[in-house]
Amino acid sequence: MGNHGKFSRYALALWVGGSLVAGNASLALAVENEFHVAYTVRSIVSNFDDGSCTSLGSGISGYANGVNGAFDKTKSFTTLAHKTYDGFITEQKARLNYSGKVDDDLKVIAQFDISYLFGQGQYMENYQNAGLKQPGYADGGGLGGGDVDLRTKALYVDYRLENKPVRFKVGLQPFTDPYKGTILSNVAAGIVSSYEADKFELQAGWFRLHAVELDLAKSGSGAESIQGGKYIDPATGLPFDDSWRTDDFYLLQGTYKATDALTLGASFYAWQSDWKSTFNSGTGAGSVSPTTGTTTATTGLTPLNQDDLELYYAGTTAEYKFGKGGVLDGFFVYNFGERVNHIAKTKQHVSAFETSASARIPVGNSGLLRSTVIYTSGDNNPNGKSRSDFGGVVNVDGMPESYFTYPGTLLLFTSQIGAVSNRNVLHSVANEGTGITAGFIGYDHNFTKKLFATANAGFAAANENPYQRQGHYIGTELGGEIGYKFKPTATIRLQGATVLLGSYYDGVASDGTTANPKNPANPYTARIVLSYLF
Amino acid sequence: MKKCIVAAFLLLAFGTAVHAEDSTAAPQGADDASKQKKDDCILNAKDCGDQALSIENKIQRLKEEIAKGSRVYTPKELQKLKHKLEDANDVLDELLFHPTNN
């Protein structure tokens, strides 16, 4: 357990501190209620982009695969066909944000999402494998409506100590790291305390990312057993019975304002995944010991209790402001610790890094030139004793919980503008261990107070080649948008982008053969987005 | 063909909305007298009448009030306004926070 115990005590102290102050509210004054709404409706025409309301890898990609119902959770390009099919979907998303203030120092914040695909909902119970439909996923937009579809995206108490620069946030809250979201960027339940002074700000916090029982083996589904992250029994290919997994994320970070223009930051994060498993391959002879990996003849249960993963991130940031709205910034993160290779059952020492630099340069009064470059270290052999590939936090399904939205691209990475997409060429800056070198350049221009346009270009290349692809070049994205703010609270956008795939995807199309390999089609997307923010 | 029709419908719908010009725009360039006065609605949520501020509007108003500085507000009130601005920025971030699925 090692450091884990210490961390747990710290987390407990934080929790007690957080709850004590939260319970210490003085007598209520007039309650101040505030509601805000963000509403987005968008139509997408694409051979790849399936928006954010379809389940992962379904929707348009279902068509693109040419196999109705293919549930491509890995969202990997290798399942894309040379011949793609255009899809057309419309979806809407509403966010309701409520904050209730008891007094100046204490408030509660709740945020709910109601989102769905037009047409997905009622009457589809019998068609759960028919492409668009996944059970319980963003229903409500089907004929007749009437589905229950409310998601809690934030629910926390925000408390400031009276007359002291100390603040606590307790509960389910958004968190994005200062490394442009490349380590952890999502909503998580936890406690963050901060100390704010003129020149510097300090934050300490703890998030519980997962507390789940993994008993998918009971369902006997082969499709589920291959999803990442679980202890897989090599003999049966099934995950262990009765695994209990807890994931914690601890953070300590600060910023220091050296001058009006220059801000420096540093942080230390720890991500720990703890597994307690009962080994039960259950078939007597031929079952495999979880500790040694050797075949034994015993039947029954062997308890397993070990730290599955301990990763640390030590990073620094610097930001320099100049002129009217100009910003230069950069960061470096060293990523180290230990992972467990579930298949080989060996520990892997991790030593990896990522670094990035960005510039935002105003052009005249109405233009903004943006550029960012990023490099993440990769590894040619992710199954070795040591690993040099940088990796942010991933969830229990093995999918990244980091979102590099900063470049503003629509397809290479997801974009926050006009709601994200579930399907991107790159899901994280790690790119499943290859590491990437990527660069982006964009230009925003306001023609009038209401009319604006953006042009974007970007490229990405893999640094290592663990999957023996034909080449390293991932692709070049070209895209842009035109927007019109027709009310102070409402904007309509036309967006479009395409990625010219590089040699990294040569010959990986699913309808190719060894004798006759084919390249997947270049993905494109075109969207009309209407957003309303009140 | 179907896509084109739907796209045309959407454009028509939004286009019609575009014609409904912003009648609700925030009153611009409030007179000089108000530049020297405290805004009790922003500061204490009092005397707001029936106005409800959009989040972007609220952030703008808070910035304007903070810019009035110590000529108009006490240090404690300024601190309160700054906290309110932080909170409002948080709300905006949360509303626009990458809306992932799960």
Side-chain angles (χ1 to χ4, degrees), chain A residues 32 34 36 43 52 54 86 88 93 95 97 104 107 109 111 137 153 156 160 167 169 174 176 185-186 403 416 420 422 450 484 486 488 492 528 530 533-534, chain B residues 3 6-7 10-11 14 17-18 20-22 24-25 45 52-56 58 76 80 83-84 86-87 90-92 94-102:
Chain A
E32 197 178 321
E34 226 177 293
H36 293 284
S43 288
S52 63
T54 56
D86 294 341
F88 172 73
K93 186 175 282 277
R95 308 204 109 180
N97 184 291
D104 286 337
K107 60 175 185 166
I109 289 104
Q111 180 156 296
Y137 223 101
K153 295 302 285 189
Y156 66 94
R160 284 188 167 93
R167 185 179 186 180
K169 284 184 180 177
T176 297
S185 174
N186 211 332
Y403 293 89
Q416 224 164 308
V420 299
N422 269 337
K450 295 178 173 180
Y484 186 75
F486 62 90
I492 181 170
I528 301 174
L530 175 76
L533 181 66
F534 181 77
Chain B
K3 274 172 246 165
V6 177
L10 280 167
L11 276 176
F14 299 159
V18 170
E21 280 295 316
D22 35 306
T24 55
L53 292 173
S54 76
I55 188 66
E56 283 174 316
K58 185 179 177 183
K76 205 170 176 186
K80 184 171 169 180
H83 282 165
K84 279 181 172 251
E86 264 178 45
D87 294 352
D90 279 359
V91 169
L92 182 62
E94 279 156 26
L95 282 167
L96 299 179
F97 194 73
H98 52 75
T100 53
N101 256 326
N102 282 316

